[in-house]
Amino acid sequence: QVQLVESGGGLVQAGGSLRLSCAASGRTFAFYNMGWFRQAPGKEREFVAAISWSGRKAYYTDSAKGRLDISRDNAKSTVYLQMNNLKPEDTATYYCAARRAGADVVATGLDEYSIWGQGTQVTVSS
């Protein structure tokens, strides 16, 4: 089991960039696939991106493709979400999540993840 702490959120103008980080404690980080989710006020939490054990496999929601990039550094026990060309609709609290996995796969469902961070706020102004 790991503990997750997100950082890197903030206020940015539309078209700008942010890099979110999720630092994980614990020695078993490499055995978890990771995901990023977001939740806007009054909205359901939704999937953004996911990455497998090795970092070789990634999956994105359609709105994130070409703008957002998920990566991980297992040596640093950290997963990142590079966010480029941000839009006002990207405004949300972003959560990092971890899922114990038996293979180098990705997962997109909220119910598939057992460990969650506290979230970091991203606000994109027009």
Side-chain angles (χ1 to χ4, degrees), residues 31-34 53 97-101 105-107 112-115:
F31 299 106
Y32 290 80
N33 55 26
M34 305 293 296
W53 284 354
R99 174 180 180 269
R100 190 79 160 86
V105 298
V106 295
E112 297 182 85
Y113 289 86
S114 59
I115 304 171

Side-chain angles (χ1 to χ4, degrees), residues 48-94:
V48 177
I51 191 166
S52 66
W53 284 354
S54 65
R56 296 167 58 190
K57 298 178 180 178
Y59 192 83
Y60 302 88
T61 189
D62 286 344
S63 65
K65 293 178 181 178
R67 300 190 301 117
L68 277 60
D69 180 55
I70 188 171
S71 62
R72 67 191 294 165
D73 186 339
N74 289 344
K76 296 181 178 179
S77 297
T78 303
V79 62
Y80 306 94
L81 185 67
Q82 178 66 47
M83 309 172 70
N84 300 315
N85 191 25
L86 285 164
K87 304 176 180 180
E89 50 263 45
D90 294 317
T91 296
T93 300
Y94 283 71

Side-chain angles (χ1 to χ4, degrees), residues 3-16:
Q3 187 175 36
L4 309 176
V5 180
E6 302 96 334
S7 63
L11 176 64
V12 64
Q13 185 174 271

